[in-house]
Amino acid sequence: MLPSPQGRSPRPRVKLAVVGGGSTYTPELIDGFARLRDVLPLAELVLIDPAPDRLERVGALARRIFAKQGHPGTISWTDDLDAGIDGADAVLLQLRVGGQAARNQDETWPLECGCVGQETTGAGGLAKALRTVPVVLDIAERVRRRNPEAWIVDFTNPVGIVTRALLTHGHKAVGLCNVAIGFQRKFAKLLGVSPDRVELEHIGLNHLTWERSVRVAGEDVLPRLLAEHGDAIADDLHMPRPLLDRLGTVPSYYLRYYYQHDAVVEELRSKPSRAAEVAAIEQQLLGLYADPALDEKPELLARRGGAFYSEAAVALTSSLLGDTGDTQVVNTLNNGTLPFLPDDAVIEVPAAVGAAGPTPLPVRSLEPLYAGLIAHVTGYEQLALEAALKGGRDRVFSALLAHPLIGQIDDADRLTDQLIAHNREHLTWA
């Protein structure tokens, strides 16, 4: 939910830095900043990226979007991280180590072992974590040295593991995902109400969540949603309608990889990878961005993914800097919220967000069907983080063996060797 501009306002002259600002998805973020300037009054925005050609195109388009929508803030860009983060109130992380080429590998070589190839879960997700965690921690340490009061908002996948790494190392960090806000917007449209009236009982880990209730004016309307719109919701998730009726909850799209693993593997084997599709879209987008007449996000950008990320980023940043205390769905430390998990696990739940960070709201006891899988994946995430921080083949193998989508010795052995072979340039210990 977006904080009300009539509530407590963020401190004046907010400066934000976006690491990975040369992403083709950045214009979506810029559009949100421009439209919601009363919620988050930006004075200065700095885009940071090591790719100057992309950064120039994206930055110039960002300025045109601000100008068209009458936003008074300034936009600049740089490949100098330290200069870009200097004086920032918050730093948003949306980087991809290795680019779409590395993602394409994450999504393909696990299929050779009959395992899901995906960028945030399974063997591919572990590969991304191993590449990403050391880079993010280096950035965060430089933010802390340069600007110790700045908040770090992490949108970089795998968000749960990356956020846990940041928090374990004492950084002022919050993880952000667009799954919850996506459900909120979709449910609001189906119900014919404004999104700010829809409250979700969203529970789990990043990319492993369920909507247990959907409240409008205090009434749980999830049973009505499933009864009247269950087919549409199931189709959107690519899951069978009877499953939703049986669960009485709405699982995130990512639960397909667990509930329909073998069918998804066959599906992925039969078509080009999502990374290949996104890479083609990115080339088209960069061509569009080069047009000096373009001053709005193009329709093609919707096919890039990450719907409503801009609204979620504005809402969370405004809550942190404005000390609003309103409710946002975030990734943060468990600290007893789910009693069957360690305190330092990172969970994805509604939390009251203010200047001191997020405080998870109380949750109802979780049924074993959900708690068991959450605990299992949390164990994997702990081992994945250890592998990312300390390296070593044995740690990689242990994380893969612990993952519920793998869990077999021969598969874990083979996947370990392939992961290291495909990512050697990004692994200092390999």
Side-chain angles (χ1 to χ4, degrees):
M1 180 184 299
L2 290 173
S4 169
Q6 284 75 42
R8 297 184 64 181
S9 299
R11 53 188 172 182
R13 295 201 57 78
V14 170
K15 175 181 177 179
L16 295 187
V18 179
V19 179
S23 167
T24 56
Y25 198 70
T26 296
E28 167 66 27
L29 188 63
I30 301 300
D31 177 74
F33 288 152
R35 287 185 291 103
L36 302 168
R37 55 185 174 272
D38 291 338
V39 177
L40 184 65
L42 272 181
E44 185 179 356
L45 177 65
V46 183
L47 306 179
I48 306 167
D49 202 286
D53 292 343
R54 291 169 64 104
L55 192 57
E56 177 73 29
R57 293 190 187 188
V58 172
L61 173 57
R63 281 181 176 170
R64 296 194 297 269
I65 292 173
F66 263 32
K68 181 179 182 179
Q69 299 197 32
H71 195 294
T74 64
I75 295 178
S76 60
W77 50 89
T78 180
D79 61 359
D80 185 332
L81 176 67
D82 292 325
I85 62 178
D86 191 38
D89 297 286
V91 178
L92 277 61
L93 305 182
Q94 57 172 34
L95 61 149
R96 182 182 294 279
V97 180
Q100 295 297 334
R103 176 181 180 177
N104 186 67
Q105 292 182 350
D106 295 342
E107 294 177 344
T108 51
W109 54 262
L111 296 174
E112 299 172 12
C113 297
C115 296
V116 159
Q118 212 276 331
E119 67 159 339
T120 61
T121 192
L126 177 61
K128 193 172 196 300
L130 296 182
R131 294 192 304 270
T132 305
V133 165
V135 174
V136 166
L137 288 179
D138 176 67
I139 293 169
E141 190 56 42
R142 290 163 73 176
V143 171
R144 179 156 54 189
R145 291 199 304 264
R146 194 87 175 189
N147 197 12
E149 296 305 311
W151 278 100
I152 295 175
V153 176
D154 177 57
F155 194 67
T156 296
N157 282 321
V159 168
I161 296 172
V162 173
T163 303
R164 188 170 182 174
L166 288 165
L167 294 172
T168 299
H169 285 74
H171 296 290
K172 291 181 61 175
V174 185
L176 177 64
C177 181
N178 66 321
V179 167
I181 195 171
F183 275 131
Q184 183 198 44
R185 297 302 198 264
K186 291 172 185 176
F187 293 160
K189 185 175 181 180
L190 291 173
L191 293 166
V193 301
S194 62
D196 60 2
R197 296 187 60 200
V198 176
E199 297 180 4
L200 302 178
E201 187 183 2
H202 179 100
I203 188 77
L205 311 176
N206 180 240
H207 290 183
L208 194 84
T209 53
W210 298 262
E211 311 306 325
R212 300 175 79 200
S213 70
V214 179
R215 297 191 177 277
V216 176
E219 176 190 359
D220 183 8
V221 298
L222 180 55
R224 176 158 64 91
L225 263 175
L226 291 175
E228 297 178 2
H229 304 286
D231 288 341
I233 295 171
D235 288 346
D236 193 45
L237 297 172
H238 299 283
M239 291 186 189
R241 164 71 185 272
L243 174 67
L244 304 190
D245 293 333
R246 187 176 301 173
L247 294 177
T249 64
V250 178
S252 80
Y253 171 88
Y254 293 90
L255 265 298
R256 290 188 73 224
Y257 301 119
Y258 297 85
Y259 293 161
Q260 301 170 284
H261 176 273
D262 293 350
V264 171
V265 168
E266 291 307 309
E267 173 189 315
L268 294 174
R269 282 172 164 169
S270 68
K271 62 182 183 180
S273 69
R274 172 62 177 164
E277 180 183 350
V278 170
I281 292 172
E282 286 194 334
Q283 289 306 307
Q284 296 178 62
L285 287 171
L286 288 170
L288 294 173
Y289 295 170
D291 181 359
L294 183 67
D295 57 6
E296 60 185 11
K297 63 176 183 179
E299 292 185 8
L300 179 63
L301 187 54
R303 293 173 52 196
R304 173 66 177 77
F308 307 112
Y309 161 43
S310 58
E311 282 90 342
V314 168
L316 177 54
T317 307
S318 178
S319 297
L320 290 169
L321 302 184
D323 196 23
T324 61
D326 62 331
T327 300
Q328 308 287 334
V329 174
V330 299
N331 286 261
T332 191
L333 290 174
N334 177 46
N335 282 339
T337 305
L338 299 180
F340 55 89
L341 296 183
D343 286 347
D344 64 348
V346 165
I347 59 176
E348 186 172 292
V349 293
V353 181
T359 301
L361 302 181
V363 302
R364 292 184 292 151
S365 177
L366 267 174
E367 299 89 340
L369 178 63
Y370 310 114
L373 185 54
I374 289 172
H376 195 162
V377 175
T378 297
Y380 151 75
E381 290 190 346
Q382 180 174 340
L383 293 170
L385 181 56
E386 291 178 5
L389 294 175
K390 301 175 183 177
R393 187 188 187 282
D394 287 348
R395 292 189 180 91
V396 174
F397 171 80
S398 294
L400 290 170
L401 188 63
H403 200 294
L405 296 183
I406 302 167
Q408 299 185 69
I409 296 172
D410 290 344
D411 286 344
D413 250 330
R414 185 178 174 191
L415 288 168
T416 297
D417 290 335
Q418 291 211 34
L419 185 156
I420 294 172
H422 284 287
N423 292 274
R424 195 174 301 276
E425 66 179 295
H426 300 289
L427 307 176
T428 58
W429 50 267

